[in-house]
C-alpha cells in the first residue's frame, strides 16, 4: 500500500528552514513551528494544540508532549537545534501572568505585528504559513504539513532505525500505517526509470 502524501526531501526541508528570515518575531515563530514539523513528525493538529506545559524540562534534555488523535499522548525529546529555536521564540512571547495551560504557538496580535496574541494558532494558520514559506523558498507548493511525517518515516527507516521506534515517534498504532509513509520504494522506482536508455 502506498500513501498519497506529497514528499518533501531532507534537502528541501533544510532549504525551507534556512530560508526563514528570523529578523522579525514571526520568522522566529515560523522556524520553531517548521522545526517541530521536521524533527518530530507530529500532526499539524497536535502542534497547534501544544500548551506551555507540554514543553518539559528534565535538566539534561527537554521534550514536547503531544496529544494526538483520540487523546493519545506521546512525548518526544527535542533535538538541540529545535530546542534553541523554541527558546528563541519563547523569549519573544510575553507569557507574564499566564498559566502553564496557555498556548505555545500563537498568531501575531492584531494590534501589533511584532507581538503575539494570547490565543492559540490554528492548524489552518500553520498550513497557510507553510505555503507562504514554501513560495519564499522556491519549493513545490504541493508540500503539506503531512509531508513532514513521510520525510521522518522514510529518513529514519533509510538509516536502519527499527520500524517500531519510528512507529512510536510518529504516533501510529500499527506498523502497517507507518509503512504507508515510507517513500523508499518510490525512490527505487525513480532510479530505475532514469536508467532507461532512450
Amino acid at each position: 500500500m502506498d500513501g498519497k502524501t506529497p514528499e518533501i526531501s531532507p534537502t528541501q526541508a533544510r532549504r525551507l528552514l534556512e530560508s526563514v528570515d528570523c529578523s522579525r518575531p514571526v520568522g522566529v515563530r515560523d522556524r520553531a513551528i517548521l522545526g517541530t514539523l521536521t524533527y518530530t513528525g507530529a500532526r499539524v493538529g497536535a502542534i497547534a494544540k501544544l500548551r506551555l506545559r507540554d514543553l518539559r524540562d528534565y535538566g539534561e534534555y527537554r521534550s514536547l508532549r503531544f496529544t494526538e488523535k483520540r487523546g493519545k499522548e506521546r512525548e518526544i525529546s527535542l533535538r538541540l537545534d529545535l530546542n534553541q529555536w523554541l527558546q528563541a521564540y519563547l523569549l519573544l512571547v510575553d507569557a507574564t501572568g499566564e498559566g502553564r495551560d496557555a498556548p505555545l504557538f500563537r498568531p501575531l496580535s492584531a494590534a501589533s505585528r511584532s507581538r503575539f496574541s494570547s490565543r492559540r494558532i490554528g492548524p489552518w494558520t500553520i498550513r497557510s504559513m507553510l505555503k507562504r514559506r514554501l513560495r519564499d523558498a522556491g519549493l513545490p507548493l504541493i508540500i503539506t504539513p503531512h509531508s513532514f511525517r513521510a520525510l521522518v518515516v522514510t529518513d529514519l527507516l533509510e538509516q536502519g532505525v527499527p520500524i517500531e521506534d519510528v512507529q512510536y515517534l510518529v504516533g501510529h498504532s500499527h506498523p502497517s500505517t507507518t509503512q504507508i509513509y515510507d517513500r523508499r520504494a518510490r525512490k527505487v522506482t525513480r532510479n530505475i526509470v532514469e536508467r532507461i536508455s532512450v
Side-chain angles (χ1 to χ4, degrees):
M1 189 169 177
D2 193 17
K4 294 180 174 28
T5 302
E7 293 179 66
I8 181 170
S9 70
T11 303
Q12 289 173 320
R14 200 172 305 112
R15 179 172 157 189
L16 179 63
L17 289 165
E18 290 171 356
S19 73
V20 178
D21 176 6
C22 292
S23 64
R24 296 182 313 150
V26 70
V28 176
R29 182 207 62 194
D30 291 356
R31 180 181 62 183
I33 292 172
L34 293 170
T36 304
L37 281 168
T38 304
Y39 297 127
T40 67
R43 293 177 180 89
V44 68
I47 292 172
K49 285 184 210 170
L50 286 169
R51 303 281 179 180
L52 292 175
R53 70 169 183 251
D54 296 320
L55 183 58
R56 302 197 160 191
D57 191 342
Y58 293 101
E60 292 181 9
Y61 71 96
R62 296 175 72 161
S63 69
L64 281 172
R65 184 186 63 191
F66 293 94
T67 304
E68 293 281 359
K69 288 181 176 178
R70 294 177 286 284
K72 188 168 37 173
E73 291 186 354
R74 64 194 173 95
E75 197 165 318
I76 299 174
S77 297
L78 299 180
R79 282 174 50 119
L80 182 59
D81 45 6
L82 177 54
N83 184 42
Q84 291 170 342
W85 297 342
L86 285 167
Q87 285 305 106
Y89 163 68
L90 286 171
L91 288 173
L92 301 173
V93 173
D94 183 9
T96 310
E98 293 184 10
R100 301 286 296 151
D101 282 337
L104 177 60
F105 292 121
R106 306 153 184 235
L108 284 172
S109 167
S112 168
R113 301 308 292 169
S114 62
R115 296 178 53 101
F116 295 101
S117 80
S118 58
R119 296 178 296 112
R120 77 175 180 94
I121 198 167
W124 56 92
T125 305
I126 295 174
R127 288 185 189 96
S128 297
M129 175 274 290
L130 174 61
K131 293 301 180 195
R132 188 175 67 253
R133 295 296 180 183
L134 289 167
R135 194 176 298 110
D136 292 349
L139 293 169
L141 297 181
I142 194 171
I143 293 168
T144 69
H146 224 62
S147 300
F148 292 87
R149 290 173 67 74
L151 164 70
V152 167
V153 169
T154 303
D155 186 53
L156 292 176
L157 290 175
E158 279 181 343
Q159 294 179 54
V161 174
I163 194 164
E164 297 80 15
D165 294 344
V166 178
Q167 173 191 339
Y168 175 78
L169 177 66
V170 294
H172 290 149
S173 298
H174 302 285
S176 59
T177 308
T178 306
Q179 288 170 333
I180 292 171
Y181 289 86
D182 183 1
R183 298 300 188 260
R184 290 177 295 174
R186 283 188 185 179
K187 290 178 183 176
V188 169
T189 302
R190 280 199 301 261
N191 289 339
I192 291 170
V193 169
E194 290 300 325
R195 294 172 61 183
I196 297 170
S197 302
V198 176

